[in-house]
Amino acid sequence: MLLHDKFGRAITDLRISITDRCNYKCVYCRTGNEGALYGDLPFEDYLRMARVLVGMGINKIRLTGGEPLLRKGVVEFVRELARLRPGGPMPEPLDIALTTNGHMLAEMAQPLKDAGLTRVTVSMDAVDPERFARITRVPNGYDHVLAGIRAARRAGLWPLKVNCVLMRGFNEDQIIPFGMFAREEGVTVRFIEFMPLEEGRTWAPSTVVTLDEILARMAEYRPLVEIPHARSETARRYRFEDGVGEIGIIAPVSHPFCGHCSRIRITSDGKIRTCLFSVWDHDLHGEMRRGSSDAELAEFIQSVVQKKEERHHIGEPDFVPASRTMVHIGG
Ligand code: SAM
C-alpha cells in the first residue's frame, strides 16, 4: 500500500517532532514567553508510527522539534530507525535526517552518525555573534553552533545544510556574509522566506525577504548559476560561477511548491499534520491508545492523507492561520 493523496501526490517524506521544547527563542518563531505546550511521547511510540509509515512508502524521515537534541535517548532512537527498511524491489536504506539549532551538536554529531543518521541541517540566522544573540535571544550560542557545524562535517554528516530564515529588520544584511560563509565552510546555505507560523503573529508581507531580492543581493557579491533541481525539491539551488560554494532558496511565500509536496508531519504529541498550514490535526497516537493494530493504523493514515490540503493560502484574503505555530508543529 503506497501513499498518495487525492491530488496524486506521492507521500514519501515524514517529519517527526520529538519534542516541542526548545532552548532558543528565535524572533521569527517564538515570543520568548511560551514554553512547551504539547509535551512528547516515549520513543517506542514514534518508532511504531515510523515503522507503519515506512511500510507505506515513506523513505525519508527527518527528526525535528522544538529542539530534537534536547531529548535524551535521541541517539538510540536514530539507531532503531536505521533498522527500518523501506519496501520495494530494491530496498534502499532509510534516509534519516535531523534539523537542529546546532547548540548541542558538537558533542553529538559523531554518535548520531555512528547510530545511522544520514544528514543534518543546522539553523543559523546570522554569521555575526551579536546579531545571532539578538535573533535567538540566547547569549553565546554562536560559538556552539559553529562548533556543531564543524563537528558534523568532520563526522561525515553530508550534505551539510545551514538554514537561514530571513526577516526584514533583523538579518537581511546577512545575505552576502552567508554567501562568503558557504564558500569558506563548504556548506550549502539555504535562505528561507519567513512564513506566518510564528507565535507572536508579527508576520506581514513586508517582513518577507523574497527569492528575487535574495538573488539580486547575492549577485552584487558574485554571479550565480542556477543548478537544475528535482521537481520535488523545495529549494532552488545555485552555485557561484567560479564553482566554489552553493546556496539554496526556499521560497514558500513568493514561489509556492505545494503542487510537489511529498510531506506529512507527526507532532511531538503524536498528531498527523498534512500541511504546515493545516487548521486541524489527526490523532494517530489516540488510535494507538485505543488499541488499533498496525493494519488499522495504516488505514487511518491512508484516510488522513486523503485530506491533505491542495495548497497554502499565505497572503490571500481567505488565509486562516495554522492551528499551531512552527515550534509546536516541527519544521
Ligand atoms: N530547533 C530546530 C532548529 O532550530 O532547526 C528544529 C525546529 S525549527 C522550528 C525548524 C526550522 O523551522 C528552522 O530552520 C527554523 O529556522 C524554521 N522556522 C521557524 N519558524 C519559522 C517561520 N516563521 N518561517 C520560516 N521558517 C521558520
Side-chain angles (χ1 to χ4, degrees), residues 11-202:
I11 306 302
T12 53
D13 185 339
L14 171 67
R15 300 196 162 205
I16 307 178
S17 170
I18 57 175
T19 179
D20 68 339
R21 281 178 292 136
C22 192
N23 48 345
Y24 278 18
K25 299 170 188 163
C26 302
V27 288
Y28 53 80
C29 188
R30 304 183 57 200
T31 57
N33 303 322
E34 298 278 0
L37 294 180
Y38 297 95
D40 44 49
L41 300 176
F43 279 122
E44 64 202 57
D45 289 354
Y46 301 127
L47 190 62
R48 182 172 173 212
M49 296 173 188
R51 183 163 32 77
V52 171
L53 275 150
V54 166
M56 301 175 80
I58 292 293
N59 54 28
K60 176 173 160 194
I61 295 182
R62 179 174 291 277
L63 303 183
T64 180
E67 173 46 43
L69 297 188
L70 288 178
R71 267 305 289 268
K72 289 202 172 55
V74 61
V75 173
E76 259 322 299
F77 180 49
V78 168
R79 204 184 314 281
E80 293 295 329
L81 286 176
R83 296 202 173 102
L84 303 178
R85 286 282 170 271
M90 305 235 297
E92 303 235 331
L94 188 64
D95 183 8
I96 307 170
L98 172 85
T99 302
T100 172
N101 60 30
H103 193 87
M104 297 160 74
L105 189 59
E107 310 84 67
M108 295 180 74
Q110 191 63 55
L112 284 164
K113 170 73 182 174
D114 296 342
L117 190 75
T118 337
R119 298 182 291 125
V120 70
T121 300
V122 180
S123 305
M124 188 184 183
D125 307 299
V127 283
D128 156 60
E130 270 168 43
R131 186 73 61 84
F132 186 85
R134 184 175 165 226
I135 293 172
T136 57
R137 299 186 177 115
V138 166
N140 309 326
Y142 184 78
D143 290 342
H144 288 275
V145 176
L146 198 56
I149 290 172
R150 291 176 176 163
R153 194 180 45 204
R154 275 196 305 278
L157 286 164
W158 203 256
L160 182 53
K161 291 176 185 153
V162 170
N163 277 359
C164 165
V165 177
L166 289 173
M167 188 180 179
R168 197 173 309 285
F170 280 91
N171 59 351
E172 71 267 44
D173 62 345
Q174 294 289 298
I175 294 171
I176 291 178
F178 265 117
M180 296 175 180
F181 184 81
R183 290 163 64 84
E184 282 158 17
E185 295 286 330
V187 298
T188 302
V189 173
R190 301 191 313 173
F191 299 100
I192 306 180
E193 288 178 350
F194 176 37
M195 291 180 276
L197 285 166
E198 75 295 3
E199 283 178 346
R201 302 291 183 213
T202 46

Side-chain angles (χ1 to χ4, degrees), residues 290-306:
R290 268 190 284 283
S292 296
S293 65
D294 284 1
E296 285 164 337
L297 292 184
E299 230 170 86
F300 177 76
I301 292 165
Q302 189 74 260
S303 71
V304 164
V305 162
Q306 292 318 304

Side-chain angles (χ1 to χ4, degrees), residues 187-240:
V187 298
T188 302
V189 173
R190 301 191 313 173
F191 299 100
I192 306 180
E193 288 178 350
F194 176 37
M195 291 180 276
L197 285 166
E198 75 295 3
E199 283 178 346
R201 302 291 183 213
T202 46
W203 188 93
S206 60
T207 58
V208 181
V209 182
T210 62
L211 176 138
D212 291 345
E213 191 175 334
I214 299 165
L215 284 179
R217 191 85 186 100
M218 197 63 92
E220 289 170 18
Y221 167 50
R222 277 172 180 275
L224 289 168
V225 180
E226 186 158 7
I227 304 171
H229 66 283
R231 271 160 59 97
S232 57
E233 257 181 285
T234 51
R236 299 193 178 203
R237 298 170 55 196
Y238 306 84
R239 64 173 172 77
F240 290 101

